[in-house]
Amino acid sequence: IFFFFFAALFSGCGEYEKILKSRDYAFKYEKAMEYYEAEEFVKAGTLLDQVVNIFRGTIKADTVKYYQAKSYYGQRDYILSGHYFNELATTYLNSSFVEEAEFMVAYCYYKQSPRPELDQDNTFRAINSLKMYMMKYPTSDKWLDCQELIAELGDKIVEKSFISARLYYDLGYYKSAIIALRNSLVEYPDTKYREELLFLILKSSYLLADGSIESKRVERFQSTVDEYISFNSEFPESTHLKEAERMYKSSQKILEDYNKN
């Protein structure tokens, strides 16, 4: 059994090596498609890389480019796949694959979109590409898919904004935290993190005031009182309300003591 297994394995490898060295490009293309259908995407992609320029200018040129892009997508190489789909869309304008290629360019950016903590350049590229696709193909059957993808990517950008703003608070840079948290609210006023952002602004304001030099304490504790009023008016049932009231009462007491003096 082992003998026949290894014999078949090496026989397959030998056949593929012969195909790689062949100068019969029509045969290479045919075998590439067989490998593609068998989901052997690495072999398919390698063979299509060898023949794509040979078929340039022929009626098969766009088809070869399409399956080259699809082979790299099958390998989960979304950078090269997106690149080849873009080449297809911009080079073969009359191809029947253009609409799908333009969607796949956007979708490859979507697949490269990282977790919210990381840089979101590909997330923005995906959103822009999906929007362009929707404008160009308003009757596409992928329209609803595009909307769902854009919403998902938008949530990631909002979360990135929240994480970045909260980082200043976590590091104890309360003055910078207040600025960053407010900027996040201005940029995304309907964010699902609105309650958390407002609470962190309040808490940062309180901690900033508490650690301030004497000449700035009154002004900053008054800001804390103002932030509490804003937070409480918008989220009177917040789970943070107890802690918010503690900071408010503490600030009020300190301000009253200063007024007495």
Side-chain angles (χ1 to χ4, degrees), residues 94-241:
N94 297 319
S95 170
S96 60
F97 298 118
V98 167
E99 181 178 338
E100 182 182 352
E102 291 186 348
F103 174 78
M104 289 303 296
V105 169
Y107 196 70
C108 284
Y109 280 131
Y110 165 79
K111 297 294 282 186
Q112 294 174 67
S113 176
R115 63 182 188 272
E117 295 84 356
L118 302 178
D119 181 84
Q120 295 300 310
D121 280 353
N122 282 326
T123 305
F124 283 108
R125 290 189 184 104
I127 290 173
N128 291 335
S129 297
L130 287 165
K131 286 181 177 178
M132 289 294 293
Y133 176 86
M134 293 171 74
M135 289 173 61
K136 192 169 181 179
Y137 303 102
T139 60
S140 170
D141 58 1
K142 294 184 175 68
W143 223 80
L144 291 178
D145 292 335
C146 288
Q147 283 187 315
E148 290 176 3
L149 292 173
I150 288 170
E152 179 186 336
L153 293 165
D155 286 343
K156 187 179 289 188
I157 289 171
V158 170
E159 186 176 354
K160 167 67 173 177
S161 176
F162 170 69
I163 290 170
S164 298
R166 189 182 62 188
L167 180 61
Y168 289 103
Y169 169 82
D170 292 338
L171 293 172
Y173 301 141
Y174 301 121
K175 191 173 182 180
S176 298
I178 292 168
I179 295 169
L181 292 161
R182 281 180 176 155
N183 286 342
S184 185
L185 278 172
V186 169
E187 195 168 6
Y188 306 106
D190 298 323
T191 174
K192 63 182 179 180
Y193 301 104
R194 185 174 180 84
E195 179 182 345
E196 191 71 18
L197 286 165
L198 285 171
F199 175 72
L200 288 175
I201 290 172
L202 166 61
K203 194 167 183 179
S204 295
S205 182
Y206 176 78
L207 292 170
L208 177 65
D210 193 47
S212 293
I213 60 175
E214 196 68 25
S215 61
K216 294 186 176 181
R217 284 171 67 82
V218 172
E219 178 188 352
R220 288 176 174 174
F221 275 115
Q222 183 58 57
S223 293
T224 302
V225 170
D226 295 340
E227 295 299 345
Y228 167 79
I229 293 169
S230 297
F231 176 76
N232 186 48
S233 64
E234 192 163 343
F235 298 101
E237 304 296 327
S238 173
T239 56
H240 297 299
L241 196 58

Side-chain angles (χ1 to χ4, degrees), residues 15-33:
E15 179 191 12
Y16 178 63
E17 290 297 325
K18 288 178 183 178
I19 297 168
L20 283 175
K21 294 175 182 177
S22 172
R23 290 186 174 275
D24 186 341
Y25 297 109
F27 174 67
K28 275 190 176 182
Y29 170 71
E30 180 184 328
K31 297 304 291 185
M33 297 308 297

